Amino acid sequence: MDADGNLCQGLHGRPTMVVYDRHGERLATVEVPARTAEGLESATNVAITPGGTRAYMPVSGPAGGYLYTFDALAEGTRQSNGG
């Protein structure tokens, strides 16, 4: 989640992430550009820099694992792993 309460959901089967607002409305779809997506099959997570909008989406598949960076819709917030 980002500071505005938007939820980022990585997809399995393609290197794509969908962003929903707090009411479940789709705001954006973030896709690895087609020229670099060959051999990539999933986006597993996202991290947004706390206080900034730089986002990192791990993508992977037979071509390997990579970090795709993009500008998020809102600032990231500090997260806790529950500990």
Side-chain angles (χ1 to χ4, degrees):
M1 291 186 94
D2 62 26
D4 288 352
N6 300 320
L7 175 70
C8 301
Q9 174 67 52
L11 301 180
H12 183 70
R14 60 191 240 214
T16 303
M17 183 186 68
V18 181
V19 183
Y20 298 96
D21 71 11
R22 65 181 72 227
H23 306 289
E25 296 287 327
R26 180 183 271 190
L27 298 176
T29 301
V30 179
E31 297 181 280
V32 174
R35 69 182 181 281
T36 57
E38 186 174 332
L40 298 174
E41 297 176 347
S42 67
T44 56
N45 209 332
V46 66
I48 305 170
T49 306
T53 59
R54 193 63 168 167
Y56 302 87
M57 178 174 64
V59 294
S60 63
Y66 304 93
L67 275 177
Y68 176 68
T69 60
F70 62 97
D71 291 323
L73 298 179
E75 290 184 356
T77 59
R78 186 170 214 168
Q79 300 293 309
S80 169
N81 65 0

